[in-house]
Amino acid sequence: MIPELRTFVVAARTESFAATAKAIGVTQSAISAQIRRLEEELGYDLFERTGRSVTLTAAGSLILCQVDDILSSFEALRGAVRLRPGAELLRVGAISTVQTSLLAPAIAGLHLELPDLKVRIVPGISMGLLDRLDAGELDAALIVRPPFGLMPYMQWHPVVQQDYVMVVPAHVEGADWRRILEEQPFIRYDSRSFGGRTLDRFLRTQGIAPHEVIETEELHTILQMVANNMGCSIVPYIFAVSVVPNIRILPLGDQKIGREVGVMTLRGRMTEGCKVLIRHLDEASRSNIPPQSRIS
């Protein structure tokens, strides 16, 4: 019943089965079915259904803290074997935009401090890596902070805040990013990723529907396409943006948007290697601040 208990906690906090389904990544009917199974198992109702929202019953409110404790205890049990002496493998998931600028120097520092620790790097997008962490396939995930509430058994460790900027071919003139976006083909940062969703919300808020020609999660590929005059893009301002030739960088003016990158772990399963990695990621974030002089 662990999945049902996790669903119960998220639903209690969002007060919406639809929002719970979006946060967990399943259908709303699946959420309803999980809650029904849990209620049948316990023998009492957990939620009062009113239209599109749900609220905890008195019984649901009474057991919420107990369920949090059960989930925390379960995660500690699941991680107990991995924390045994001699466990020398650290499995780290990482989005592509941080592997060179943050993860590589952090792993180098980690290796000097813990030379016997083997590290396995698993690439992917934030949502996929979060799922693999939840499934116990990763020990840590270096990702964009999720745009929804965290599950109670997960712990977030912020590393760096990154603002978004527009990147255009060097020959494109002007400083009006809106005009350029209307005139140039648009290379979209993958809308499936958490960072891409942030950008999508921003464009909708601004009432802008650019002429999209390509979509990819690989930021380095986007930068090379812009450098080769294939169009413009809006991307997080990481170190690579500041060093790719033949591009020009434009700020978004007062319409600033950003993303937070950090490490997600499971409570009760933080190994010494993971703690050391997070410390070196913090150090790498401070030494890899892109030079602001290239922003027009």
Side-chain angles (χ1 to χ4, degrees):
M1 298 299 289
I2 293 297
E4 286 81 2
L5 291 175
R6 290 173 176 167
T7 297
F8 165 68
V9 171
V10 178
R13 284 166 169 69
T14 61
E15 295 187 338
S16 165
F17 285 175
T20 301
K22 185 176 181 180
I24 295 178
V26 299
T27 64
Q28 185 173 341
S29 59
I31 297 298
S32 298
Q34 285 187 325
I35 296 299
R36 280 197 303 273
R37 283 197 299 271
L38 184 58
E39 290 176 329
E40 291 171 359
E41 187 71 22
L42 294 174
Y44 48 79
D45 291 339
L46 297 172
F47 292 98
E48 294 178 357
R49 283 78 164 173
T50 54
R52 295 187 177 181
S53 64
V54 294
T55 56
L56 285 172
T57 61
S61 298
L62 186 63
I63 70 167
L64 182 57
C65 290
Q66 292 175 273
V67 172
D68 279 335
D69 291 340
I70 290 171
L71 291 175
S72 296
S73 297
F74 175 75
E75 292 305 322
L77 287 172
R78 193 165 69 168
V81 174
R82 187 171 290 106
L83 296 175
R84 70 189 187 279
E88 299 293 342
L89 175 64
L90 179 64
R91 303 163 302 170
V92 182
I95 56 176
S96 63
T97 54
V98 300
Q99 291 182 21
T100 301
S101 58
L102 287 178
L103 188 58
I107 293 294
L110 174 67
H111 180 68
L112 290 175
E113 192 166 338
L114 300 174
D116 294 329
L117 179 66
K118 180 180 178 181
V119 179
R120 179 181 298 154
I121 300 174
V122 179
I125 63 174
S126 294
M127 190 68 229
L129 295 175
L130 195 62
D131 288 340
R132 298 190 69 169
L133 175 70
D134 187 32
E137 299 174 8
L138 296 174
D139 300 300
L142 182 57
I143 61 176
V144 176
R145 185 182 180 107
F148 45 77
L150 304 183
M151 301 293 280
Y153 55 88
M154 291 188 174
Q155 187 168 3
W156 178 250
H157 312 268
V159 173
V160 64
Q161 182 74 28
Q162 298 170 335
D163 292 334
Y164 283 68
V165 294
M166 171 172 275
V167 288
V168 301
H171 69 85
V172 174
E173 299 179 349
D176 186 343
W177 65 271
R178 292 173 179 274
R179 180 186 61 78
I180 293 174
L181 197 55
E182 292 174 354
E183 297 175 351
Q184 291 284 321
F186 185 59
I187 305 169
R188 181 181 290 276
Y189 181 37
D190 194 346
S191 58
R192 299 173 303 164
S193 66
F194 293 156
R197 294 181 195 178
T198 297
L199 176 59
D200 279 352
R201 287 193 297 271
F202 169 73
L203 292 174
R204 286 197 300 269
T205 300
Q206 298 298 310
I208 299 173
H211 172 50
E212 179 183 331
V213 292
I214 300 170
E215 178 175 349
T216 177
E217 192 263 341
E218 292 294 334
L219 183 53
H220 294 82
T221 301
I222 292 176
L223 295 177
Q224 290 301 322
M225 289 178 177
V226 174
N228 283 279
N229 303 320
M230 294 179 64
C232 66
S233 188
I234 298 177
V235 297
Y237 188 35
I238 66 171
F239 187 77
V241 176
S242 66
V243 297
V244 173
N246 200 37
I247 68 172
R248 195 162 62 90
I249 305 166
L250 295 175
L252 300 179
D254 295 333
Q255 309 299 328
K256 181 179 289 188
I257 57 171
R259 68 177 192 176
E260 183 178 82
V261 174
V263 179
M264 191 76 81
T265 60
L266 298 180
R267 295 185 187 277
R269 297 176 61 186
M270 176 78 78
T271 64
E272 182 62 25
C274 194
K275 293 177 183 177
V276 174
L277 175 64
I278 291 172
R279 174 157 49 80
H280 284 287
L281 284 168
D282 287 334
E283 294 172 1
S285 70
R286 290 191 292 271
S287 61
N288 278 280
I289 299 174
Q292 297 294 320
S293 60
R294 285 205 58 198
I295 299 183
S296 302

